[in-house]
Amino acid sequence: MNTVTRRTLLIGGVALATAGAGFPTLDDPFTLGVASGDPRPDGVVLWTRLAPKPLNEDGLGGMPNRMVPVHWEIAEDERFRRVVRRGTEVARPDSAHSVHVEPFGLRPGAEYFYRFRAGDHVSPVGRTRTAPAPWEVQDLTMCFASCAHYGEGYFTAYRRLAEDDPDLVLHLGDYQYEYAAKAADVRTVVGPETRTLADYRLRHAQYKTDADLQFAHAAAPWLVVWDDHELENNWADEVPEQPDPSFLDRRAAAFQAYYENMPLRRSARPNGVDMQLYRRVQWGALANFHMLDTRQYRDDQACGDGWKTCTEAGNPTRSITGAEQEAWLLDGFRRSRARWDVLGQQVFFAERDRKDGPVKEVSMDGWDGYLASRDRITRGWVDAGVRNTVVLTGDVHAHYAADIKADWNDPASSRTVGTELVCTSVTSGGDGNDTVDQTQLRLNPHIKLHSRRRGYVRTRFTAREMRADFRTLPAVRTPGAAATTLKSFVVEDRNPGLNSV
């Protein structure tokens, strides 16, 4: 029997007691692995998708056009001797035979193991964890990652992340890329640039066949949010990067495939071109995770996007979150009693100037392009008396660590009111290098770290401090690299600002 332990996770499982009736004769349908997500004190989402031929061009994974019963079990032990919940869900053709199970009645702050069965086939075994009870302050190891291009490297960082034994994993976007294969890719991307539902389903399926990604999904529950490449580069609400009369159809297809392939609750099921992905997950009394969507509701990038000196970025009516999500977030700050409030989001939050002199040149795609939005959010957590604020970011394919200032017009003398941790890419951009942008560090002294290596960030939250370890790999264009810690920082409770370790 293949089992899961706290230090080792092997893909496999054992047959359940009875076989499902009427299941068609197929090859193993569990080629895409299993996953869990969005933990609560009494439950968690369990996910799988049936796809015996995952790379079929129609995106349906070789499944027949019929509903298929899928049985599931949750146990307190990896050998399934103490099963605590079981049931059956129906995998439907119109959902690409994906399964989202939302069991409840589990113990808070507890480790569980789960598996699925369809016909005579049994899935890999996954490990998950429920959130602690709302009053408990339970230490948390959380890893986060972003930006994984299948063609530009191997997903070794996901395996190393799982080997760090996290209780929770956050993915901050660019889980998959829309582009067709390139000559320089080290792995072959199948299919054209994604535009249709079949295209997006196929692309997600290819990613999910990766053993390292499956390993990471099966190791811990995930909280996921998208960025741009799950749809297309730098999209903003209903505005594509380039004029495209069919963009809304493309958006609806991308949203549908994203939901089908992620461990999300049914409340996130898309409705045409709309899908509510922002949500709040509480980890006991220790941390609130405010998972944001900075793509679906934003105003279009100012001044034509890119790095610009742009007065329109300061327009007070501009928003990167939209009014409804902003109000939800500010209300969450006011209600919070957690030690740590964590914003899981996509694009650079702190100021990042790259031009000498009094006139700033900043990225229009990040919060620098939405100055009033950033000011309202920052004032919101300060005015609410949030105890400790940590902003988590992906997108930029580089590690950063930065202090967040109350006033970006005078950052040198302004007080520090929060911390931003930015993870590099899993593979996007290839191997990376050791070059550090010294000009950027000089112009932005609140930025304490910059690295272009690939990897992820490991964090440890306790009642007294948050520690961040920036983990890097020397190469991703070849598989199997070891991960090492480039730099570590600590943020002390009630003392915002990064301290080197």
Side-chain angles (χ1 to χ4, degrees):
M1 179 190 299
N2 292 330
T3 60
V4 181
T5 69
R6 290 300 292 172
R7 289 296 171 190
T8 303
L9 189 150
L10 300 176
I11 301 302
V14 296
L16 303 184
T18 59
F23 189 77
T25 301
L26 292 171
D27 295 333
D28 177 14
F30 295 110
T31 61
L32 307 183
V34 299
S36 67
D38 280 32
R40 293 177 178 172
D42 67 341
V44 67
V45 179
L46 307 180
W47 173 94
T48 193
R49 178 183 162 199
L50 307 182
K53 297 180 180 178
L55 301 188
N56 276 10
E57 291 183 358
D58 61 5
L60 297 178
M63 289 295 294
N65 186 26
R66 55 165 290 180
M67 295 185 292
V68 175
V70 178
H71 308 283
W72 56 270
E73 286 186 320
I74 302 176
E76 293 178 333
D77 68 303
E78 58 214 327
R79 296 182 180 274
F80 288 82
R81 292 171 177 165
R82 299 189 302 277
V83 174
V84 296
R85 290 288 183 275
R86 56 164 52 100
T88 302
E89 290 285 333
V90 176
R92 303 174 184 275
D94 60 359
S95 295
H97 289 95
S98 62
V99 176
H100 296 76
V101 181
E102 298 185 28
F104 56 89
L106 303 179
R107 292 183 293 109
E111 179 183 72
Y112 290 97
F113 301 86
Y114 63 96
R115 63 187 179 188
F116 299 88
R117 178 174 57 78
D120 294 327
H121 296 284
V122 180
S123 77
V125 174
R127 184 183 70 210
T128 192
R129 176 172 290 278
T130 54
W135 56 86
E136 291 184 350
V137 179
Q138 188 179 103
D139 293 355
L140 168 66
T141 297
M142 181 275 291
C143 295
F144 67 98
S146 71
C147 301
H149 190 295
Y150 186 92
E152 293 182 353
Y154 291 87
F155 290 167
T156 311
Y158 283 138
R159 182 168 291 270
R160 301 296 173 248
L161 176 156
E163 291 170 346
D164 280 343
D165 205 23
D167 302 304
L168 184 67
V169 175
L170 268 61
H171 200 286
L172 301 181
D174 295 349
Y175 183 94
Q176 61 103 62
Y177 279 70
E178 76 275 29
Y179 303 125
K182 308 186 302 296
D185 286 347
V186 297
R187 297 197 290 178
T188 301
V189 175
V190 299
E193 178 165 337
T194 52
R195 301 191 62 85
T196 68
L197 181 56
D199 294 339
Y200 284 107
R201 283 171 168 170
L202 173 58
R203 188 60 51 83
H204 276 283
Q206 181 177 30
Y207 276 59
K208 282 290 202 309
T209 61
D210 184 273
D212 293 332
L213 179 54
Q214 287 192 20
F215 188 91
H217 271 301
W222 285 38
L223 299 179
V224 299
V225 285
W226 57 39
D227 191 16
D228 52 343
H229 291 288
E230 287 85 356
L231 173 47
E232 70 139 18
N233 184 56
N234 281 17
W235 65 282
D237 194 5
E238 297 186 0
V239 182
E241 184 179 32
Q242 301 294 332
D244 179 1
S246 63
F247 177 71
L248 292 185
D249 291 336
R250 185 179 186 181
R251 172 170 152 165
F255 286 13
Q256 175 69 20
Y258 186 82
Y259 174 77
E260 291 170 351
N261 287 279
M262 293 295 168
L264 290 164
R265 295 191 178 275
R266 294 185 183 93
S267 57
R269 186 187 294 274
N271 179 18
V273 298
D274 298 314
M275 178 176 172
Q276 182 168 328
L277 199 56
Y278 68 84
R279 62 206 186 279
R280 189 171 294 114
V281 174
Q282 184 178 353
W283 195 265
L286 180 71
N288 287 331
F289 289 91
H290 310 269
M291 306 301 291
L292 304 186
D293 178 353
T294 63
R295 288 291 167 189
Q296 188 176 178
Y297 313 105
R298 66 160 65 190
D299 291 304
D300 194 14
Q301 291 90 342
C303 294
D305 206 355
W307 287 79
K308 301 285 177 60
T309 297
C310 177
T311 56
E312 178 61 19
N315 187 326
T317 67
R318 289 178 50 74
S319 176
I320 196 171
T321 63
E324 184 175 331
Q325 183 178 194
E326 180 180 299
W328 165 86
L329 180 58
L330 295 178
D331 182 65
F333 291 152
R334 289 189 290 268
R335 294 173 181 269
S336 177
R337 299 296 180 267
R339 295 293 182 104
W340 303 89
D341 278 80
V342 183
L343 278 62
Q345 59 94 51
Q346 297 75 28
V347 293
F348 216 96
F349 190 89
E351 183 174 272
R352 193 164 51 123
D353 182 15
R354 68 174 193 180
K355 184 177 181 179
D356 273 304
V359 178
K360 299 174 182 178
E361 183 180 88
V362 295
S363 172
M364 294 297 101
D365 191 54
W367 290 78
D368 276 328
Y370 301 82
L371 300 180
S373 238
R374 181 170 63 193
D375 288 346
R376 289 192 297 268
I377 298 302
T378 305
R379 287 199 309 272
W381 79 60
V382 172
D383 292 346
V386 169
R387 183 163 175 159
N388 301 290
T389 304
V390 179
V391 178
L392 307 180
T393 302
D395 184 59
V396 294
H397 306 175
H399 277 325
Y400 286 89
D403 291 336
I404 297 173
K405 298 294 183 176
D407 182 5
W408 294 110
N409 292 319
D410 187 15
S413 58
S414 175
R415 68 186 178 112
T416 297
V417 295
T419 303
E420 182 172 20
L421 308 175
V422 183
C423 64
T424 187
S425 65
V426 171
T427 60
S428 302
D431 284 339
N433 56 64
D434 293 320
T435 303
V436 175
D437 189 338
Q438 297 295 343
T439 299
Q440 189 172 173
L441 295 179
R442 176 175 56 81
L443 294 176
N444 303 276
H446 54 278
I447 296 177
K448 309 300 182 183
L449 172 71
H450 173 241
S451 170
R452 290 194 173 99
R453 282 293 182 195
R454 305 295 162 238
Y456 60 97
V457 179
R458 178 180 63 203
T459 64
R460 180 72 173 173
F461 288 85
T462 72
R464 293 185 176 183
E465 67 178 29
M466 184 276 297
R467 178 185 174 115
D469 301 318
F470 287 83
R471 306 278 285 165
T472 61
L473 283 69
V476 297
R477 290 177 64 83
T478 53
T484 57
T485 298
L486 173 70
K487 181 70 177 176
S488 298
F489 295 92
V490 165
V491 178
E492 299 170 346
D493 179 37
R494 296 188 187 275
N495 185 22
L498 293 157
N499 301 294
S500 295
V501 177

